[in-house]
Amino acid sequence: MKHKLSSAACLMASMALFSTTSFGQEEKKGWGDKDTTELSPLTVTGAKAAPPSLSPGLKTSLPVDSLPKSVSVMNADQIKAQGLKSVGDIIDYTPGVTNSQGEGHRDAAVIRGVRTTQDFYRDGIRDDVQYYRPLYNIEQVEIIRGPDALLSGFGGGYGLINRVSKKGKVGEDFTVVDGSIDTFGETNVQLDKNFNLNDSTAFRVNLYMENLENHRDFYYGDGFGVNPVLKYDLGDGSTLDLSYEYLNQERFIDRGIPSANGKPVESLKDIVFGDSTENFSTHEAHIFRGIFEHDVADSLKGRLSASHSSHDKLYQNLYANNWDATAYTVQLDGYKDTTKRSTGIISYDVSGEFETGGIVHNIVAGIQYLDMDNDNDRFNTSFTGNSGSDKETFSIARPLGIANGYGTNSGNVATYNQGYSGANSDLNDRTFADVDVLSFYINDEVALMESLTLLLGVRFDDMNFDVTGSSTGKDRDFTTSPRVGLTFDVTNEAMLYAAYSESFAPKAGDQYAKLGSDDSRLDPNTFENLEFGVKYDLPMGLTLSAAYFEVEANKPDYDTATMSSTMVKSEVTGFEIALAGSLTDKWFLSAGYTDLDAQSSSGVRLREAPESMFSLWNNYLVSDRLALNLGIIYQDESKSTNSTSSPLLPDYTRVDVGASYGLTENTRVRLHVENLFDELYFPHSHSTHQASVGAPIHATFGITSSF
């Protein structure tokens, strides 16, 4: 908890700054004076909410309401207004996507029924290291459902999540300071400062510090991030954005509680099945990014993107592997995992509009190269006094008597020692992976008629994997990922579309360490997506989008006994309905519903794939200063594992409320209450005995000031 004192000090200093600076400004200016940056209590709507737009990193010229795919965009204003603190919070309010536990140390999403930790992007650039991604320097978050290999290349079989970075703003000088504290004691402080250096250059720095707390015993966490960026306007349509980000994070790992009789054991909801000092993760990262955009010709733009990142990640934990209700004991298992990854990605694409034979084409074509080194170690837990076993049984108590030696299998004299180094180390796996990928892609949006557009795209990838260590193997895949779409504007307000796309995932796994000698004989996993939909701007100011989709996954499985491969399939079908926009000048609404049927080829429902999901969020401007909001999340029951006997996570409904009030034109306070009716719920589970316990009712108070 090395940032706890500094974080609290920054919070108090920020609040003092708010009270002196903001109220001092109000004495000089009236509420309607617009000379300084205004922080309206209802910034997500204005008078009528503007339609969202996609970032250039997603390689399309079409607006969101003209794309033949399911896309959700949430900007920073809405994120702040809803009181969302993480990527997982955003997922809660996104149709077709649910959260996975991520073993307590990483973002993990279930997109249309399939769990993923690799389909995360930053400005269209792959960001697949396993960590919790902060939002302090993010302009908006874009979530695509359905394969989109034109952007992702490998992975992205069911969708992807892209964060868009804040960039420097030439011609502006501003400072925004934000602080929050919740009833658990969690604090967060953020700074967003933009300097206008001259007519063509801006420097912007975003910074955050957090001290994490929640409702679970032993839980703690510290996070620090700083992200300075430079923007150069080079003239003649050319700009250069340079960015460096440093992250340092640590947090307690909580893997949840056991299940019995087909559901989580509610009587165990307050017990943490881990150790107060040994369950934790650390993450340190250095991330460099540069984007150069320029005019190649009158109607042709070029975009050069380069990034280099180095991540040092460690996580170690104990978790419930089994439990005995009669003896009231729990068997604990555990491990330590380290990952060091260095990744360089460079891409260049050109985009523009031209006309041939009376037909207008919007083209995006490019090339990308990725080079990655990934070193991974995994060590088993070792319990001294139990013949070095990596599992041990303990009497259930709050807290568990791990450190004091209450192991029932060893005469209550066992001491706990995860022997990760030296003579007591228990190495489970060590791999060194080298990955390089060369890609070419092209996408053409062809305006066949004024109301009819054809989309044609294809990406070619040459992938090389070389894994050595405990698992050794090489693999090279040449893949082609096509997509085709058709949009028809029925009226100026209504559009119909149909789309088909394919994607793939390599056999090396999402962390590039699962490549064995037999895997080299197998083709990569492939995904096929078919989607039909409608997008309609309703007269009252809302935009309706509805889609029916089918996604088929084909995963080759090699049998060493018969020297042959078989195909393991899973199928996901469903539909989504989403509404977003301003019903009136004062009322902004977003809602989504998903019906999902996700099954393996044997007819077993896929884990963490609820049949029904629903979310609703309202923001209503009561006056020029006061806004109230209401959020509702419903998630149907879902399975913890893919087996037929898997425990079920019960369905739940969570109600959130909030309010924001403008103290001055530049300072506002906000209050958010999560789980208003204090429902006991279990949002996700990594496995049978690892069901997460949802947070009880709690409130967050925040204050934001701009000057």
Side-chain angles (χ1 to χ4, degrees), residues 355-577:
E355 185 175 337
T356 58
I359 297 178
V360 177
H361 297 259
N362 266 292
I363 293 285
V364 179
I367 181 173
Q368 183 180 84
Y369 179 72
L370 176 150
D371 181 74
M372 178 190 299
D373 292 322
N374 188 80
D375 298 342
N376 176 261
D377 292 328
R378 176 162 292 197
F379 298 85
N380 294 326
T381 299
S382 177
F383 290 94
T384 61
N386 193 17
S387 303
S389 173
D390 60 356
K391 297 182 179 64
E392 176 64 290
T393 301
F394 294 89
S395 298
I396 294 178
R398 184 185 181 192
L400 296 179
I402 298 172
N404 295 323
Y406 295 141
T408 60
N409 284 351
S410 53
N412 292 333
V413 295
T415 58
Y416 170 64
N417 173 32
Q418 297 198 55
Y420 294 134
S421 60
N424 293 326
S425 64
D426 186 2
L427 179 66
N428 180 69
D429 190 40
R430 173 171 289 162
T431 55
F432 306 93
D434 293 321
V435 182
D436 64 82
V437 186
L438 179 63
S439 308
F440 302 89
Y441 50 87
I442 184 169
N443 185 64
D444 189 5
E445 298 159 354
V446 187
L448 300 176
M449 296 184 227
E450 186 175 347
S451 59
L452 188 65
T453 302
L454 174 67
L455 282 83
L456 297 171
V458 65
R459 179 168 177 139
F460 304 96
D461 291 283
D462 178 9
M463 305 185 64
N464 287 275
F465 289 87
D466 188 353
V467 178
T468 59
S470 303
S471 298
T472 301
K474 294 184 177 182
D475 191 20
R476 186 174 187 181
D477 295 317
F478 296 93
T479 61
T480 301
S481 302
R483 75 170 182 175
V484 58
L486 193 67
T487 69
F488 177 65
D489 294 328
V490 181
T491 66
N492 289 334
E493 295 78 24
M495 182 196 79
L496 301 174
Y497 71 86
Y500 174 82
S501 58
E502 295 180 4
S503 184
F504 72 97
K507 280 295 171 185
D510 62 359
Q511 293 304 303
Y512 317 110
K514 297 179 181 178
L515 187 64
S517 58
D518 294 326
D519 291 330
S520 59
R521 313 180 193 187
L522 301 179
D523 294 328
N525 303 330
T526 60
F527 307 89
E528 300 177 24
N529 182 77
L530 182 64
E531 184 169 325
F532 303 95
V534 59
K535 298 183 180 183
Y536 182 38
D537 293 329
L538 299 173
M540 70 280 292
L542 295 175
T543 297
L544 167 70
S545 59
Y548 170 81
F549 54 87
E550 297 179 358
V551 187
E552 181 179 288
N554 300 283
K555 301 180 180 181
D557 185 29
Y558 188 77
D559 189 336
T560 56
T562 62
M563 302 290 287
S564 62
S565 62
T566 57
M567 192 68 67
V568 178
K569 294 186 177 183
S570 62
E571 294 183 355
V572 177
T573 61
F575 66 87
E576 297 170 2
I577 301 175

Side-chain angles (χ1 to χ4, degrees), residues 626-643:
L626 177 63
L628 302 177
N629 54 67
L630 167 68
I632 301 174
I633 299 169
Y634 170 76
Q635 186 169 301
D636 207 351
E637 66 181 21
S638 61
K639 298 177 58 178
S640 298
T641 70
N642 285 332
S643 70

Side-chain angles (χ1 to χ4, degrees), residues 204-243:
R204 187 173 184 176
V205 60
N206 280 270
L207 177 148
Y208 92 101
M209 300 178 67
E210 65 181 1
N211 168 235
L212 303 178
E213 299 286 352
N214 71 9
H215 58 295
R216 303 282 285 159
D217 290 346
F218 317 134
Y219 188 82
Y220 74 92
D222 295 296
F224 172 79
V226 60
N227 183 195
V229 298
L230 270 173
K231 187 175 189 70
Y232 297 96
D233 185 344
L234 304 175
D236 298 323
S238 299
T239 60
L240 176 64
D241 292 282
L242 299 175
S243 168

Side-chain angles (χ1 to χ4, degrees), residues 87-269:
V87 172
D89 289 342
I90 295 173
I91 288 172
D92 281 337
Y93 283 93
T94 302
V97 189
T98 58
N99 279 296
S100 185
Q101 184 190 86
E103 296 179 283
H105 64 87
R106 65 193 177 205
D107 288 321
V110 182
I111 305 177
R112 288 186 172 173
V114 173
R115 181 191 296 181
T116 179
T117 61
Q118 72 169 342
D119 298 314
F120 293 90
Y121 290 76
R122 177 80 172 270
D123 298 321
I125 300 170
R126 182 175 294 275
D127 175 34
D128 57 5
V129 175
Q130 296 185 345
Y131 70 105
Y132 282 112
R133 295 156 178 83
L135 300 175
Y136 73 104
N137 55 354
I138 298 303
E139 199 69 55
Q140 67 183 33
V141 177
E142 304 161 333
I143 301 182
I144 297 175
R145 278 90 70 197
D148 195 337
L150 187 73
L151 171 64
S152 65
F154 61 95
Y158 286 72
L160 56 89
I161 299 172
N162 182 51
R163 295 178 300 146
V164 183
S165 303
K166 293 179 180 178
K167 297 178 175 60
K169 295 187 177 182
V170 176
E172 298 185 33
D173 274 298
F174 61 81
T175 302
V176 180
V177 185
D178 182 273
S180 67
I181 185 168
D182 71 15
T183 50
F184 295 128
E186 179 171 304
T187 59
N188 184 289
V189 178
Q190 298 182 20
L191 169 70
D192 183 359
K193 174 65 176 176
N194 190 83
F195 300 88
N196 186 50
L197 301 181
N198 53 50
D199 292 342
S200 60
T201 311
F203 174 74
R204 187 173 184 176
V205 60
N206 280 270
L207 177 148
Y208 92 101
M209 300 178 67
E210 65 181 1
N211 168 235
L212 303 178
E213 299 286 352
N214 71 9
H215 58 295
R216 303 282 285 159
D217 290 346
F218 317 134
Y219 188 82
Y220 74 92
D222 295 296
F224 172 79
V226 60
N227 183 195
V229 298
L230 270 173
K231 187 175 189 70
Y232 297 96
D233 185 344
L234 304 175
D236 298 323
S238 299
T239 60
L240 176 64
D241 292 282
L242 299 175
S243 168
Y244 163 71
E245 182 176 14
Y246 173 74
L247 288 174
N248 194 321
Q249 301 166 304
E250 179 177 347
R251 68 172 61 207
F252 183 79
I253 292 179
D254 180 7
R255 296 282 290 267
I257 66 173
S259 296
N261 301 318
K263 63 180 182 179
V265 183
E266 294 187 4
S267 62
L268 302 179
K269 65 181 179 62

